[in-house]
Amino acid sequence: MAPWSGLWGARAGADAYRGTPVVVKMENPNWSISEISPEDADDEDFLVSGAGARARRRKGGRGKNAKQITWVLLLKAHRAAGCLASLASAAVALGAAARRRVADGRTDADAACAGAPGPAGESPVLRSRLYGFIRAFLVLSVLLLAVELAAHFHGWDLAASALALPIIGVESLYGSWLRLRAAYLAPLLQFLTDACVVLFLIQSADRLIQCLGSFYITVKRIKPRLKSPVLPDAEDPDAGYYPMVLVQIPMCNEKEVYQQSIAAVCNLDWPRSNFLVQVLDDSDDPTTQSLIREEVAKWQQTGARILYRHRVLRDGYKAGNLKSAMGCSYVKDYEFVAIFDADFQPNPDFLKRTVPHFKDNDELGLVQARWSFVNKDENLLTRLQNINLCFHFEVEQQVNGVFLNFFGFNGTAGVWRIKALEESGGWMERTTVEDMDIAVRAHLHGWKFIFLNDVECQCELPESYEAYRKQQHRWHSGPMQLFRLCIPDIIKSKISVWKKFNLIFLFFLLRKLILPFYSFTLFCIILPMTMFVPEAELPDWVVCYIPALMSLLNILPSPKSFPFIIPYLLFENTMSVTKFNAMISGLFQLGSAYEWVVTKKSGRSSEGDLISLAAVAVPPKELRHHQKEGKKQKKHNRIYKKELALSLLLLTAAARSLLTKQGIHFYFLLFQGISFLLVGLDLIGEQVE
């Protein structure tokens, strides 16, 4: 009978294999690369190379295959040991950085260190109320953990049926706690859990619908179209569409980036007689004022139509600055106004790609371009911000622009019809989100908006957690201020019921109030408490699967950021404490809601871009001198008390979850607690040695 030579059978012949060759590569350059095949000899033969080993070859191959596997496992263990060594060194470095933070003793409550004291008249008690609330939960969780550990080690595994029986001693107190927990605490906590889960599902459904809308736009290749063709002929303004455009650059103490923004705007490809640049400087530093004034004078000498304005009375922050500039007598000669913050660098063709959309479109009030970021790969913090903002522009702004003709103005990189601004009441200083304020009022007056996803304007992301935190506080407290102020106007307006519903429920309540509320309450308070009150359950799909799906949807507009999906999920939950605090401040008109801190810029993008744009006006040596001078400001990393307290609360709850063997909950609490710890010690973003 012929031998079987099926899939698992041996091959006949002298050249038959008894297995698959294994190539073993050692990372150590002093070791060679060896190929181990089943024809090699045993342990001694393996160490002998060439014909000597083959001469002592044995017929059986099982022992040699086992030795091959052993060697491969040993080599993998060697590689794992190298990874552990690198992790150990990273842990040591992390511990050293944490020790420096603690020894330095600077916290987010240190007003002198922050450089931005709280609002006048605000009680310090109000500023620390949320911290006291979190600290109380932390103390309670530690006490409950001690009780649960004592019950576990003493074997107080009391069944529900035995709780009614009289028990003597300490066990009776523990039994009383179990009865209290099951009868009173668990129902209340379960009710709060279910309510937050419902809000979570509603917000997730909204996010999913937006993503489907973005997918539909991509598949159908929907984009705003020009109503009338435009002849782009800069040589003959009469042959094309070149209306009068006013370009405004509001800034305040922007020593690091003022040159790049002025240079980029002055190099816009538009007939010089048809646009005027206003540099609206609100700086209170005389040196910065002098530098900006000199920069404007240099560009005036090159023929650019540019003016420098400085207010004597600096009321109303950015809104007051823009309102003051619009009051100039010559503004009546201009039909449109383009606004760029100090760190924004529009491409030369920006006006040519935005302004033509206004032609023969009298209902159009705003054309908004998207942002791109020159420092998105600077550190982990900027990478995570890039994920968030890519989703904001690619999905939220684009979907709302296509299907609703309305979205929140981003405050910069946009062109307004001046008539729309005037009919909507102009700039108002009543909130810290003047851009959203004017957008809502213009929408109520019937003006339409267009978002151009393919027109980008470069800008800079905050590189330090301190700057990002202050920015997010303003972005989340301002909408709640505005909601309180404009809700009567929305109800009384003549827009359709659907548009009123979109403004009140979707735009304000769901995306500005409910999102930070349930993120903080559900994942930072309720989830840890369910570990100590296990009668109230939080399903696994709420803790893991739905958040993972939402994070995946958020990261789709920036697919290169996919490796950061887990840090993104953890960091978004970590930021919920700042967003929740800001939302409460704006909703209840607390003093911190009126804080306006200019986001610090590093000016990393200014040198290369400005040299190419302004080689004539600014010599490279002088440019580098000004940049270095701007970077000499002394900075400090600090400790953020709320985030640190929440990290201890989550880690305590993770320790408690080990007793009940809740796998998913334990891992989520552990990694989320570590995330809060890293942020609380300011170990994310720019690091100052």
Side-chain angles (χ1 to χ4, degrees):
M1 183 176 179
W4 179 66
S5 57
L7 181 62
W8 300 103
R11 297 182 183 179
D15 298 331
Y17 286 125
R18 291 188 179 87
T20 303
V22 179
V23 178
V24 181
K25 296 183 178 180
M26 304 298 296
E27 294 184 352
N28 192 323
N30 297 325
W31 295 354
S32 61
I33 300 176
S34 305
E35 178 176 336
I36 313 172
S37 70
E39 298 172 321
D40 291 335
D42 56 338
D43 195 16
E44 295 180 356
D45 296 330
F46 175 75
L47 300 176
V48 182
S49 61
R54 295 182 179 272
R56 293 182 288 175
R57 185 184 304 142
R58 292 187 296 183
K59 295 182 179 180
R62 296 182 180 272
K64 293 186 287 292
N65 283 334
K67 292 184 177 66
Q68 295 164 19
I69 295 173
T70 302
W71 277 98
V72 171
L73 292 177
L74 288 174
L75 296 177
K76 288 186 176 294
H78 175 267
R79 180 174 296 179
C83 293
L84 291 176
S86 62
L87 290 176
S89 62
V92 171
L94 182 65
R99 186 169 60 252
R100 287 197 302 270
R101 300 284 192 278
V102 175
D104 189 51
R106 301 175 188 271
T107 68
D108 55 337
D110 190 350
C113 179
E122 183 184 6
S123 171
V125 177
L126 291 176
R127 296 180 64 86
S128 61
R129 185 168 293 175
L130 180 60
Y131 173 61
F133 174 78
I134 297 172
R135 188 169 52 184
F137 268 98
L138 173 60
V139 173
L140 178 62
S141 67
V142 172
L143 293 177
L144 292 178
L145 178 61
V147 171
E148 295 294 337
L149 288 175
H152 176 74
F153 287 113
H154 286 83
W156 299 341
D157 189 12
L158 304 178
S161 59
L163 295 181
L165 299 177
I167 306 174
I168 302 175
V170 181
E171 293 186 52
S172 64
L173 296 178
Y174 183 67
S176 301
W177 155 245
L178 294 183
R179 287 192 294 270
L180 174 66
R181 189 176 75 184
Y184 299 102
L185 298 182
L188 177 61
L189 187 59
Q190 188 66 56
F191 173 77
L192 293 176
T193 301
D194 295 340
C196 287
V197 169
V198 171
L199 296 178
F200 180 36
L201 292 177
I202 294 174
Q203 197 275 333
S204 300
D206 173 63
R207 184 65 54 91
L208 180 60
I209 292 172
Q210 285 185 320
C211 291
L212 293 176
S214 177
F215 179 74
Y216 179 81
I217 292 172
T218 303
V219 171
K220 295 293 184 178
R221 298 182 179 179
I222 300 174
K223 59 183 299 185
R225 305 289 181 182
L226 297 176
K227 285 199 170 183
S228 300
V230 178
L231 300 176
D233 187 3
E235 299 296 332
D236 184 8
D238 296 332
Y241 180 68
Y242 297 102
M244 300 294 286
V245 179
L246 182 67
V247 181
Q248 296 179 333
I249 313 176
M251 58 178 63
C252 181
N253 297 322
E254 308 280 6
K255 184 183 293 185
E256 296 84 4
V257 294
Y258 72 93
Q259 289 177 313
Q260 65 181 17
S261 60
I262 293 175
V265 167
C266 289
N267 281 278
L268 287 171
D269 187 8
W270 200 256
R272 286 201 170 187
S273 60
N274 288 25
F275 83 102
L276 173 69
V277 180
Q278 284 183 321
V279 178
L280 310 178
D281 182 25
D282 255 6
S283 303
D284 55 7
D285 176 26
T287 303
T288 304
Q289 294 177 24
S290 177
L291 290 173
I292 297 175
R293 191 180 290 110
E294 291 175 3
E295 185 70 17
V296 171
K298 291 176 183 178
W299 281 101
Q300 288 174 342
Q301 293 174 4
T302 64
R305 299 183 69 237
I306 182 171
L307 297 175
Y308 175 85
R309 278 183 54 86
H310 180 76
R311 293 191 299 163
V312 178
L313 300 177
R314 299 175 57 249
D315 296 332
Y317 302 112
K318 180 181 176 181
N321 197 1
L322 294 171
K323 181 179 179 180
S324 173
M326 295 300 293
C328 297
S329 59
Y330 52 81
V331 173
K332 67 179 184 296
D333 300 328
Y334 294 85
E335 188 176 357
F336 306 103
V337 55
I339 303 172
F340 301 99
D341 283 351
D343 60 318
F344 278 72
Q345 307 167 63
N347 293 323
D349 63 347
F350 182 87
L351 294 180
K352 285 188 174 182
R353 301 181 66 183
T354 54
V355 175
H357 286 273
F358 290 97
K359 186 180 181 182
D360 298 329
N361 194 356
D362 296 335
E363 296 181 343
L364 183 60
L366 167 67
V367 174
Q368 172 74 61
R370 71 172 295 165
W371 303 353
S372 60
F373 311 104
V374 295
N375 62 336
K376 62 182 179 181
D377 297 324
E378 184 65 27
N379 53 46
L380 179 60
L381 179 61
T382 58
R383 292 176 185 272
L384 299 179
Q385 291 179 69
N386 178 61
I387 296 173
N388 239 348
L389 290 171
C390 282
F391 181 86
H392 170 68
F393 288 110
E394 189 83 17
V395 178
E396 294 176 342
Q397 297 291 76
Q398 185 171 216
V399 169
N400 291 331
V402 169
F403 295 105
L404 299 175
N405 295 121
F406 166 73
F407 47 81
F409 175 46
N410 293 117
T412 178
V415 182
W416 277 94
R417 189 188 296 271
I418 293 180
K419 182 181 178 181
L421 291 177
E422 293 173 348
E423 287 189 357
S424 304
W427 298 104
M428 293 185 179
E429 308 98 319
R430 57 182 182 173
T431 70
T432 57
V433 284
E434 75 294 326
D435 45 8
M436 185 182 294
D437 188 1
I438 188 63
V440 170
R441 287 186 279 117
H443 181 57
L444 295 180
H445 281 78
W447 291 99
K448 295 182 179 180
F449 302 165
I450 283 179
F451 176 74
L452 300 178
N453 193 50
D454 57 345
V455 180
E456 297 184 356
C457 188
Q458 285 191 338
C459 63
E460 183 179 322
L461 291 166
E463 296 180 6
S464 68
Y465 178 69
E466 176 195 358
Y468 180 63
R469 188 169 179 258
K470 292 181 182 298
Q471 180 196 72
Q472 292 299 303
H473 187 279
R474 176 165 55 88
W475 286 5
H476 286 81
S477 64
M480 290 297 98
Q481 291 176 301
L482 181 60
F483 178 67
R484 287 172 55 102
L485 294 171
C486 72
I487 184 66
D489 297 332
I490 297 175
I491 296 175
K492 296 176 184 177
S493 66
K494 298 179 180 180
I495 61 176
S496 64
V497 176
W498 158 244
K499 290 184 177 180
K500 290 181 181 180
F501 173 79
N502 173 66
L503 271 176
I504 295 175
F505 181 73
L506 296 179
F507 186 76
F508 279 112
L509 292 181
L510 186 60
R511 298 166 189 166
K512 310 299 181 184
L513 188 149
I514 291 177
L515 176 58
F517 172 78
Y518 86 74
S519 296
F520 173 76
T521 307
L522 187 62
F523 295 110
C524 299
I525 300 299
I526 292 179
L527 177 59
M529 287 298 102
T530 56
M531 297 298 102
F532 300 101
V533 186
E535 292 83 0
E537 297 181 356
L538 191 60
D540 292 346
W541 55 269
V542 176
V543 178
C544 180
Y545 305 121
I546 298 296
L549 176 60
M550 292 300 104
S551 298
L552 181 62
L553 293 177
N554 277 25
I555 213 167
L556 287 179
S558 53
K560 292 183 179 179
S561 302
F562 185 78
F564 301 95
I565 184 171
I566 299 301
Y568 171 75
L569 171 61
L570 297 174
F571 182 70
E572 279 301 292
N573 289 335
T574 304
M575 284 303 301
S576 65
V577 61
T578 297
K579 296 176 181 179
F580 176 84
N581 189 29
M583 181 267 293
I584 294 297
S585 298
L587 189 62
F588 295 102
Q589 299 292 292
L590 302 181
S592 60
Y594 297 94
E595 281 186 332
W596 181 290
V597 181
V598 177
T599 304
K600 294 297 181 183
K601 288 91 175 178
S602 63
R604 293 184 184 274
S605 61
S606 59
E607 184 171 344
D609 298 327
L610 189 55
I611 288 176
S612 62
L613 288 174
V616 177
V618 184
K621 290 184 179 179
E622 182 180 352
L623 171 63
R624 287 192 292 268
H625 170 72
H626 286 323
Q627 288 177 341
K628 290 179 180 179
E629 184 180 351
K631 292 182 180 180
K632 287 181 181 178
Q633 298 179 356
K634 194 172 183 180
K635 301 178 182 178
H636 299 277
N637 293 107
R638 56 182 54 85
I639 296 174
Y640 295 94
K641 298 189 296 182
K642 298 184 188 72
E643 286 81 355
L644 200 58
L646 276 171
S647 73
L648 299 178
L649 172 62
L650 292 167
L651 292 175
T652 303
R656 171 62 181 84
S657 69
L658 288 176
L659 300 180
T660 54
K661 300 179 181 179
Q662 300 187 37
I664 292 180
H665 294 72
F666 167 73
Y667 289 113
F668 181 88
L669 290 167
L670 175 64
F671 290 116
Q672 191 64 70
I674 294 174
S675 176
F676 268 104
L677 182 64
L678 296 176
V679 172
L681 294 173
D682 200 6
L683 294 171
I684 184 173
E686 182 184 21
Q687 295 298 301
V688 181
E689 294 296 336

